[in-house]
Amino acid sequence: RLESQLRSLDLSRNEMKELPAEIGKLGALEKLDLSRNFLRRFPEEIGDLKSLVKLNASSNDFRGLGALCLEALSSIAVLRTFDLRRCPRIGQHGSSDVSHLASVLGPTVECFVTQQTVSREEKPHAA
């Protein structure tokens, strides 16, 4: 079945406003590119992507950190890269947003916010 075999999915530049909850059924997915859409939030089912290593969600319209379902994302043990560059409402609170991302996602996830790269081991600074 496709759900158990799909490893990489590029949904960039599709003018999507919502990511369907069914995305969570793609359990073998390792790379997901959602960049350059109009997404405002993730569904909780994003946390069901237990094989996801790289998530590109840059250039979207997320309504703040709460829209990212960080608790669900933090349950993905293999997640290593989370790109949120050019999301105007993410990082608007400077180092507090960056620190929160790092503390929830853990030291193994590299988060890209605005034009900076931050991991838990680094001291966050304002964007």
Side-chain angles (χ1 to χ4, degrees), residues 17-121:
K17 294 181 180 175
E18 187 174 318
L19 187 63
E22 289 78 16
I23 193 75
K25 294 180 180 178
L26 303 175
L29 202 61
E30 296 172 2
K31 295 179 185 176
L32 178 58
D33 188 346
L34 300 170
S35 64
R36 298 182 182 185
N37 281 291
F38 300 105
L39 297 173
R40 292 180 175 218
R41 64 174 202 78
F42 283 142
E44 286 289 331
E45 291 80 3
I46 194 92
D48 295 336
L49 300 176
K50 299 301 183 192
S51 299
L52 193 64
V53 175
K54 183 176 183 179
L55 175 56
N56 183 352
S58 63
S59 299
N60 274 286
D61 196 24
F62 297 110
R63 298 298 185 189
L65 293 180
L68 299 176
C69 294
L70 292 177
E71 295 300 327
L73 286 172
S74 70
S75 71
I76 305 173
V78 297
L79 185 63
R80 295 295 174 261
T81 305
F82 187 23
D83 190 342
L84 290 165
R85 286 179 283 199
R86 293 175 299 283
C87 294
R89 290 181 177 88
I90 304 298
Q92 70 181 0
H93 299 292
S95 62
S96 65
D97 277 3
V98 172
S99 295
H100 186 71
L101 277 169
S103 68
V104 173
L105 296 178
T108 60
V109 180
E110 196 169 28
C111 295
F112 297 89
V113 179
T114 311
Q115 296 299 321
Q116 62 184 350
T117 304
V118 176
S119 65
R120 189 176 181 150
E121 291 86 12

